[in-house]
Amino acid sequence: MSIPHGMIGIRHVALFIKELESAVDFYTRVVGMQIEWQPDPDNVYLTNQGDVFALHRVSYTPDPMQRLDHIGFVLTDAQAVDDWYAHMVAHDVRITEAPKSHRDGSRGFYCLDSVGHLLEFIYHPPIAQQLLQK
């Protein structure tokens, strides 16, 4: 069986959040996303004009097996990685791994959002070139 064509990346991520207001503030103020839709006080859908990032308030601790490793934000070039790194440092975001270039030409860093999710900001040449050709 062949794999269908058409996928160019992950365009939707949804997270369970206890501290919803803190997460919305972080992703709008620091990351620059916009609220696309907020159907009620416990659900917010953010966008960067290409992705849908859903935050759903829960009052319980989600099952550990539901754990997410990290969320990756693809950047246009290696300089953008350094610019985003400086931006995060200026906003006192906790950095877990400083920018690093890899043998495959990618460059990225890791940090934590305001409620503890691991984020990766990465320039990955094949993905960036494909997205920029559109």
Side-chain angles (χ1 to χ4, degrees):
M1 176 165 33
S2 66
I3 297 173
H5 296 286
M7 183 187 302
I8 61 169
I10 297 171
R11 294 289 182 228
H12 176 66
V13 174
L15 299 177
F16 293 129
I17 303 283
K18 279 189 174 185
E19 307 87 2
L20 185 65
E21 291 77 12
S22 175
V24 169
D25 176 67
F26 177 84
Y27 285 103
T28 57
R29 185 177 55 80
V30 179
V31 180
M33 298 186 91
Q34 301 87 40
I35 295 175
E36 182 176 78
W37 183 44
Q38 186 168 4
D40 56 60
D42 295 325
N43 297 282
V44 178
Y45 295 82
L46 303 173
T47 186
N48 61 2
Q49 309 310 313
D51 301 311
V52 176
F53 188 49
L55 305 176
H56 305 294
R57 184 193 317 266
V58 293
S59 58
Y60 61 90
T61 301
D63 184 316
M65 296 305 292
Q66 189 83 26
R67 188 180 174 279
L68 176 73
D69 178 19
H70 71 273
I71 301 164
F73 291 87
V74 176
L75 303 176
T76 56
D77 54 60
Q79 182 59 52
V81 172
D82 296 330
D83 294 345
W84 272 97
Y85 175 77
H87 174 76
M88 293 299 181
V89 168
H91 281 86
D92 297 319
V93 172
R94 183 171 166 211
I95 305 297
T96 61
E97 186 177 321
K100 178 179 176 180
S101 294
H102 303 277
R103 291 177 295 195
D104 66 355
S106 66
R107 181 171 176 76
F109 72 93
Y110 291 89
C111 63
L112 297 178
D113 73 5
S114 64
V115 294
H117 295 106
L118 184 63
L119 308 179
E120 178 184 29
F121 286 79
I122 186 166
Y123 164 61
H124 187 271
I127 294 173
Q129 290 166 5
Q130 186 176 23
L131 292 173
L132 293 172
Q133 288 176 359
K134 294 191 176 257

